[in-house]
Amino acid sequence: MAEYNLPLPAMGESIAEATIIRWLKKEGDFVKKEDLLVEIATDKVNSEISSPVNGILKKKLFAPNEVAKVGNFIAILETEEKFSLEYIPIIEKSKKRFYSPLVRTIAKKEGIRFYELETIEGTGEKERVTKKDILKYIRIKKNNIVIPKYNRYNRIQSINKNQKNEEIIEMDRMRRITAEHMIRSKNISAHVTSFVEADVTNIVKWREKIKDTFQKNTGEKLTLMSVFVECVVKAIKDLPMINISVNGTSIIKKKNIHIGLATALPNGNLIVPVIKNADSYNLIGLIKIINDLIKRAKSNQLKPEETQGGTYTISNIGSFGNLFGTPIIHQPQVAILAIGLIQKKLSIIETPKGDLIGIRHKIYLSHSYDHRVIDGVLGGCFAKKVALYLEKFNCYTNI
C-alpha cells in the first residue's frame, strides 16, 4: 500500500494555522473517503477535516492542542489509490528553525522524515537540533523508550500543586487570540465612547403582539436584533464615513455594508459572524440570517469566510444584563455599537396637550469609535441617528 500525507487545508483568507482539537479516528482504523478524521479550531471557527482517500489511518502527526500550519501534514494514511503523495525529502525547509547539513544527512540515513524531525527538541541556538539531539532521539526510538511528546508550538500547560487554593488554567487558543486581538486594538485605535438613550417602547410592544404568530407562521424566533441591524444599516447609509478602515495614513471607505454580530459561545469565548451586504435584506431576511448565523456560531458550524470581512460590529451586551459599556473596536474596523438591556422607566412624555409622566421602555446605546479618524461629532451623531431610527421604527411593517 502507498502512503497519503494529509495536509492541513487552506481555510480562508488570513488563516495560516489551526489547533488540533480531537481526532475522530484511531490509528489503525479503516476510513472511507469523506469520513471525518479530525476536529480543528482556528481563531475564527471550529471545523472538521475529512479523509480524501479510502485507507487506514497509519499515524497522527499532531496531538490534541498542538498547532499545525496550513500545508503541514497532519496525518499519514495507507491507501491503494494511485494519487497518494510521495515521500517528502528531509531537505524541505522549515519556517521555524534551521537544520544543518550534518543533521539532515543523519536524518536521511536513519529514515527520519521532515515532520518527525520537526518534533525533536532542539538544545541549540534558537531551538536548533544539534548532532547530539538527533542521535539521542535515534537511540530512544531504537530502544522503544517512551518520552513525553515535545511540542514547541504550544505553551506548556501546568498546575501549581503547591497552591492548594488555586488552579492555573491555560487559555485555549481562541481565548489567546481574542486577548491578543483586544490588546492590539487598544494599541492601534484611540478609543472614545459616546452614550445615547433610546425609547424602544413601540418596538417592544410590536414584538410582544406578533412574536407568537410570527414564529408559528415562519418557524423563526422574532428577536429584536433584526431591528437593531436594520436601524444601524440606515444610519450607516446616512453617515457612510463610519463604514471605513484605516491603512497607514489612508482611509478606506467601504461600499459594502457587512455587519458583524459579536456572539458569546457556550464555553465563554467570543465569535463574530458577519451578515454580508446587510443592506440588501428586508426585515424578514435579516431575521432569518441572524437566527441562522447565531445558531451555527454556538454549535461551531460556521464556515471561516462567515466570520471575515465585517465593516461594522454590533454587540448585544443587554443579553447578559448590562446597561451600557465601552466595547473594544474589532480591527480593522473603526467603530462598534453595544446595545444594552431594555428597561422600564418613568419618563416625561411630550404631547400636544402638554407633558405627561408614563412608563416607557428605554435602552442605552454605547458607541465606541476610533478618534484618529472619527471625531466626536460624527461618532456621537451616529449613535443618535441609530436611536432616532429605533424610535421611529415602523411598527406596522408587514412581516
Side-chain angles (χ1 to χ4, degrees):
M1 298 180 76
E3 289 186 351
Y4 182 94
N5 295 279
L6 176 67
L8 182 68
M11 293 163 286
E13 182 184 358
S14 79
I15 298 178
E17 60 185 26
T19 300
I20 303 299
I21 300 300
R22 64 190 179 101
W23 286 93
L24 306 176
K25 298 289 185 179
K26 298 177 183 178
E27 290 183 354
D29 282 356
F30 177 79
V31 293
K32 295 180 180 178
K33 188 175 182 178
E34 304 301 332
D35 277 358
L36 296 178
L37 280 179
V38 61
E39 181 183 353
I40 62 171
T42 69
D43 59 331
K44 304 290 185 182
V45 295
N46 286 14
S47 56
E48 294 169 327
I49 297 175
S50 58
S51 174
V53 297
N54 296 310
I56 295 172
L57 178 56
K58 180 179 179 180
K59 187 175 182 60
K60 304 171 186 176
L61 305 182
F62 287 83
N65 297 320
E66 289 188 323
V67 178
K69 301 289 184 181
V70 170
N72 283 168
F73 296 133
I74 60 174
I76 299 175
L77 294 97
E78 286 189 338
T79 178
E80 295 180 350
E81 298 186 23
K82 295 181 180 180
F83 50 84
S84 60
L85 297 182
E86 298 298 328
Y87 168 78
I88 303 301
I90 194 61
I91 59 173
E92 181 177 348
K93 293 182 180 179
S94 170
K95 295 182 179 179
K96 290 292 184 179
R97 57 183 175 182
F98 170 80
Y99 296 104
S100 69
L102 176 59
V103 169
R104 295 202 303 268
T105 299
I106 295 173
K108 185 175 181 180
K109 181 180 178 182
E110 297 293 333
I112 298 174
R113 300 187 180 187
F114 178 74
Y115 70 80
E116 192 174 357
L117 187 60
E118 286 279 86
T119 68
I120 300 176
E121 182 174 6
T123 60
E125 183 181 357
K126 295 183 179 179
E127 295 188 340
R128 289 181 181 175
V129 175
T130 66
K131 177 183 177 181
K132 182 179 178 181
D133 296 330
I134 193 168
L135 291 178
K136 177 183 176 181
Y137 176 82
I138 292 169
R139 186 180 74 255
I140 290 173
K141 182 178 180 182
K142 286 183 176 179
N143 288 281
N144 296 318
I145 300 173
V146 179
I147 59 173
K149 186 172 179 63
Y150 171 63
N151 175 13
R152 62 190 178 88
Y153 299 109
N154 277 3
R155 300 174 184 176
I156 299 174
Q157 183 174 353
S158 63
I159 297 178
N160 187 342
K161 297 181 179 179
N162 295 325
Q163 299 291 338
K164 295 182 179 180
N165 296 322
E166 294 180 357
E167 180 183 358
I168 298 174
I169 302 173
E170 184 71 13
M171 293 182 185
D172 61 25
R173 175 167 174 76
M174 185 175 287
R175 174 53 55 191
R176 293 200 304 270
I177 292 293
T178 300
E180 292 167 2
H181 187 71
M182 295 297 99
I183 292 172
R184 176 172 170 268
S185 182
K186 293 291 283 189
N187 288 335
I188 291 174
S189 298
H191 281 66
V192 176
T193 307
S194 296
F195 303 93
V196 173
E197 188 177 43
D199 187 330
V200 292
T201 305
N202 293 338
I203 295 174
V204 171
K205 290 182 177 179
W206 164 79
R207 177 180 177 274
E208 287 298 318
K209 182 178 179 180
I210 71 167
K211 66 178 184 179
D212 292 338
T213 302
F214 179 83
Q215 186 165 1
K216 181 178 179 180
N217 292 340
T218 66
E220 298 286 348
K221 186 176 181 181
L222 178 55
T223 64
L224 294 184
M225 182 54 73
S226 57
V227 178
F228 296 139
V229 171
E230 182 178 80
C231 292
V232 166
V233 168
K234 289 181 179 179
I236 288 175
K237 288 184 175 180
D238 292 342
L239 301 170
M241 287 306 290
I242 287 289
N243 201 48
I244 65 173
S245 64
V246 181
N247 183 12
T249 58
S250 299
I251 295 174
I252 304 170
K253 188 176 179 181
K254 307 290 186 177
K255 294 182 179 180
N256 296 321
I257 300 176
H258 301 326
I259 303 296
L261 302 177
T263 304
L265 300 178
N267 63 2
N269 286 326
L270 188 70
I271 197 168
V272 185
V274 177
I275 307 171
K276 302 292 178 65
N277 300 306
D279 53 325
S280 67
Y281 294 91
N282 59 19
L283 194 59
I284 294 180
L286 285 174
I287 292 168
K288 290 181 177 180
I289 191 170
I290 289 171
N291 287 348
D292 175 61
L293 284 173
I294 292 178
K295 179 181 178 180
R296 289 192 292 113
K298 292 185 175 182
S299 59
N300 293 321
Q301 294 179 349
L302 288 177
K303 299 176 182 178
E305 58 268 25
E306 292 177 314
T307 64
Q308 300 173 4
T311 61
Y312 188 90
T313 296
I314 299 173
S315 178
N316 183 13
I317 62 175
S319 63
F320 41 89
N322 285 203
L323 297 178
F324 46 80
T326 54
I328 297 176
I329 298 165
H330 187 44
Q331 297 294 329
Q333 300 165 30
V334 297
I336 180 173
L337 185 72
I339 299 169
L341 179 69
I342 297 175
Q343 286 186 310
K344 288 183 179 180
K345 289 187 176 182
L346 283 175
S347 303
I348 297 175
I349 305 170
E350 295 181 357
T351 72
K353 296 182 179 180
D355 294 343
L356 301 172
I357 295 178
I359 298 175
R360 308 293 291 178
H361 290 83
K362 296 290 189 75
I363 192 172
Y364 285 108
L365 305 178
S366 307
H367 189 224
S368 290
Y369 46 93
D370 188 343
H371 215 342
R372 295 179 302 161
V373 288
I374 299 178
D375 293 330
V377 173
L378 176 57
C381 285
F382 182 84
K384 185 61 178 178
K385 180 74 71 171
V386 175
L388 290 175
Y389 276 122
L390 288 171
E391 291 177 347
K392 295 179 180 179
F393 177 76
N394 182 7
C395 297
Y396 299 98
T397 298
N398 182 15
I399 64 170

